[in-house]
Amino acid sequence: MEQGLKLAAFSWAHFFPLNNGRRQIAYGNILDFCITTVSFLEITFLQGSQSLGLNALRSLRVLRLLHLFPSIRNILVAAQASLATMLGCFGVVFVFVLIYALLGTGMFIGVKHGEGFGRGSTLNSPTDSLLLLLRTASGEDWHTIMAEAAVQPPFCTEADKDTLGDCGNQLAYLYFISFS
């Protein structure tokens, strides 16, 4: 309704104003139009628990006020300039963790489950390894996982001709300490 009133009052010239005879895009007005329209569609068609949370996008309407506060605008411009560098750093860290996840999958596949290793946290697949390494990077019980990855007989079944076994590898200490 809000956007309908704006269109009726200002017409499309409010969203695409003329500047020296050329159409110029008013990004703030278009952002406001899109956010309000998406919020309206979500409220209208998605009821209750089906909500996608797109209504929270209405808080982005505050961005239209940035021209009133040059200091905040300068901070956002600096953050935008450093965004590429930060994404590059995150990319390098992700590749590092991915390499460790692939190494962990190769070294510790099939290790006996215990207190640290469980159904949801194993090194049996690259995806599970990646999630487990992200968990250990936060410091969550990594020493228990390290000890279980290095489990040796008589606490596990050794491999023979017919079975793979579920023993760990003594390199688990080097693996987890170097990752941490």
Side-chain angles (χ1 to χ4, degrees), residues 47-146:
Q47 304 279 329
S49 64
Q50 296 176 354
S51 176
L52 301 174
L54 296 175
N55 205 11
L57 290 176
R58 295 186 85 172
S59 62
L60 292 176
R61 295 173 79 181
V62 177
L63 294 176
R64 293 177 45 201
L65 301 174
L66 282 179
H67 70 279
L68 299 176
F69 302 102
S71 59
I72 294 175
R73 188 178 192 147
N74 290 340
I75 291 171
L76 289 176
V77 167
Q80 180 185 8
S82 63
L83 187 65
T85 305
M86 289 189 296
L87 287 175
C89 290
F90 284 128
V92 168
V93 169
F94 178 74
V95 168
F96 176 76
V97 173
L98 184 64
I99 289 171
Y100 262 84
L102 294 173
L103 284 172
T105 301
M107 290 170 52
F108 305 111
I109 192 165
V111 172
K112 182 178 179 180
H113 291 200
E115 190 178 319
F117 281 133
R119 186 176 142 189
S121 58
T122 64
L123 291 166
N124 291 337
S125 72
T127 307
D128 289 342
S129 298
L130 187 63
L131 293 174
L132 183 70
L133 286 177
L134 291 176
R135 190 178 117 194
T136 60
S138 68
E140 182 184 343
D141 218 14
W142 69 272
H143 52 85
T144 306
I145 296 170
M146 176 180 65

